Amino acid sequence: KLLANFQRRVQSSHGDCDDLVHPSVDWAGWRKLTDVFADSVPPWLNGEPGGNPDGFNDAIGEAAGIVWKGSSGAVAHGMTIAECTNQCVGGVLSAYLIQSA
């Protein structure tokens, strides 16, 4: 919900990442993963019943990849991976937030 809510509020090329082309990130899939994380992981981290640690592991792993890609100098299709990744500001921001959980 973090990324989905951000994307709904921002009306620019940085707001909706689902259709952005990236050589190794599925932004629509990442948004769905952030939804699962936002719904199930915070209660689990607080010790409440019903949380889903699988959502935690999945999101943390994907977040680490997005954060790394946000600084990668590798080149694909004439752009660095960092340039491709950082086109989705909300996606990168949510990756940092989830990684810090």
Side-chain angles (χ1 to χ4, degrees):
K1 291 186 180 186
L2 301 170
L3 181 56
N5 288 339
F6 177 78
Q7 288 179 349
R8 278 193 282 279
R9 286 195 320 267
V10 177
Q11 299 298 319
S12 71
S13 61
H14 295 295
D16 186 1
C17 303
D18 287 3
D19 295 327
L20 283 178
V21 176
H22 192 286
S24 61
V25 176
D26 170 12
W27 290 117
W30 173 243
R31 183 180 45 78
K32 290 174 187 171
L33 194 55
T34 62
D35 287 347
V36 170
F37 183 93
D39 287 340
S40 63
V41 174
W44 176 72
L45 290 173
N46 289 327
E48 298 173 20
N52 179 3
D54 290 337
F56 178 80
N57 292 332
D58 295 344
I60 289 291
E62 191 68 23
I66 290 171
V67 167
W68 179 85
K69 291 168 189 170
S71 62
S72 173
V75 176
H77 310 291
M79 294 177 73
T80 67
I81 299 299
E83 291 170 324
C84 292
T85 305
N86 290 315
Q87 289 179 354
C88 182
V89 175
V92 173
L93 252 169
S94 61
Y96 274 100
L97 289 170
I98 287 174
Q99 195 175 36
S100 69

